[in-house]
Amino acid sequence: MTIDGSNPADPTADDNLYSTAISVTKSGTKIKAKAFKNGMTASAVASATYTIKPSKPTITAAGATVTITAGDGCEIYYTTDNSEPTASSSHYTGSLNLNTSCSIKARAYDAYNNASEVSQYNFVYWPLEPKNINSKHFVKVTDVSTLENGDAILIVCESGNAAMSTTQNTNNRGQESVTITNYTIDSPSSDVQKLVLMKIGNYFYFYAGTGYLYAASSNSNYLKTETTPDDKNNAKASITISEGNATITFQGDNTRNVLKHNGTSSLFSCYSSSSDQDAIQIYKEIPVEPSDPVVSGSSITLTTSANMAGWRTYNNNTSNKYAVDGTTKVYYVSGTADSKVTLTEISGGVPANTIVILHQTNGSNTMTLTKDDDATAVTPGSNELQVTTTTTDLSAGVYRLGYKSGEGKGIGFYKYANASAPAGIIYLTSINAAHEFLGLDFDGETTGVNEVTNTNLTNNTNDFYNLAGQRVGKPTKGLYIVNGRKVIIK
């Protein structure tokens, strides 16, 4: 017999004479054997090739941490670029903390360098924290392009005044009643499921706090929740919106994969595309409207939410002029550029019949306007702020003052995605509707910035705000807003 692939020769003293079991350690070893007996013709050559493979690795994920395990004595090599792993790939020595979605492939090698089959895991990274608007104010989405990573949404059936519930039944989701007014939902109960969108490319995942919604069957109408998206893409979904109705189609192997509402059974589940169930809609959380002014005699009290740091819009649609106290600044929009809006200060108070932006610079969320016919406020000549006077479609790239957390965000103008806005909504139109966020800039400060040095900083009694409008107790080097002007600390 031979183990190098050559044919056994006639027996001699040096030949490999089979007498006991052979230990084979290397995959691909080819054994050939031939039988001999005195006085008889030798047999034909018999051969067999041994394939030895350790068990393939197991890949699991918990949040952004990925763990790969294999059999005892095996080394693991992996890739994250969808290429096939070899012994020259990255060597797994401990848990991976990934910051991007990718296809992880891993292969185990035993002590004899025998390779396992490849394990694959489609890792989905949560790139952003939820936007945490927490306004509890949801508006109907009519354009899928306005859905973004981190958006908080509700799955709704308008015809049943129902929204998806936090209750995960065995094979579907329950429903909760909601009140829909002018395509808005305010303060839904805690039993309504607020889903967080994860957008990767042109596809979406729906995170429900404990896992991801997914289509779970080809034979039955199942909508379930899994801890992490599986490698068959059953939690991955496409979204199309037509005439206000959303079609959510889960990808993967299960063919009852279209999310719909079953009015008869009062639930949300997955059905075939031809199934006769209720259409669904998507509602997205956006910043709440500023509170209504409180009028008392000749004074008007305005408030802002805590995260707006004293910023708000106001429509003075009267012939009255209003004076403001020394800590309230009044602005109008004098120019909208590619990624910013220019604010120009109006001295002397709030003009008659003018839409303005107000900022309470002392950090308070309350400001007072006092009727004053002798106020010197002058109506601006080119104010770009506009206001709806009736129910209006504002879904085509207009912007409203608001706040969002995250790097490069803060207080500014954000794209408004409501299909139908009631009267009184203040907005502006951008020259580039591709932007989500338009930052604030101040007239007269775009080419020159006031300088505050460390020397006179200690003698400065004004409050300092960062460019997101947040008050800073101990400012260090950088750009700040002080008394409505930009300053730089060097």
Side-chain angles (χ1 to χ4, degrees), residues 7-13 15 34 36 42:
N7 289 324
D10 291 343
T12 67
D15 279 341
K34 192 173 183 179
F36 297 89

Side-chain angles (χ1 to χ4, degrees), residues 186-263:
D186 283 298
S187 299
S189 78
S190 59
D191 294 325
V192 171
Q193 179 66 70
K194 184 165 77 169
L195 297 161
V196 181
L197 273 184
M198 179 165 47
K199 183 178 181 182
I200 299 177
N202 293 321
Y203 291 95
F204 299 85
Y205 294 81
F206 302 89
Y207 185 64
T210 58
Y212 302 82
L213 299 181
Y214 75 105
S217 177
S218 292
N219 301 314
S220 301
N221 303 317
Y222 290 170
L223 173 67
K224 297 186 178 182
T225 305
E226 61 183 354
T227 304
T228 56
D230 64 26
D231 59 4
K232 296 181 180 179
N233 290 323
N234 292 327
K236 179 180 178 181
S238 64
I239 301 176
T240 58
I241 298 178
S242 176
E243 298 181 351
N245 296 326
T247 300
I248 297 174
T249 306
F250 291 101
Q251 309 300 296
D253 296 338
N254 295 317
T255 55
R256 295 199 183 185
N257 59 350
V258 181
L259 183 56
K260 297 183 180 182
H261 177 256
N262 185 326

Side-chain angles (χ1 to χ4, degrees), residues 65 85 91 106 129 172 201 235 357 387 396 440 452 474:
T65 302
H91 184 203
E129 291 294 327
N172 51 62
I357 297 173
V387 63
L440 304 181
V452 177
K474 294 182 179 180

Side-chain angles (χ1 to χ4, degrees), residues 73-88:
C74 288
E75 298 290 331
I76 302 170
Y77 295 85
Y78 69 94
T79 63
T80 56
D81 60 0
N82 206 36
S83 62
E84 295 300 300
T86 68
S88 298

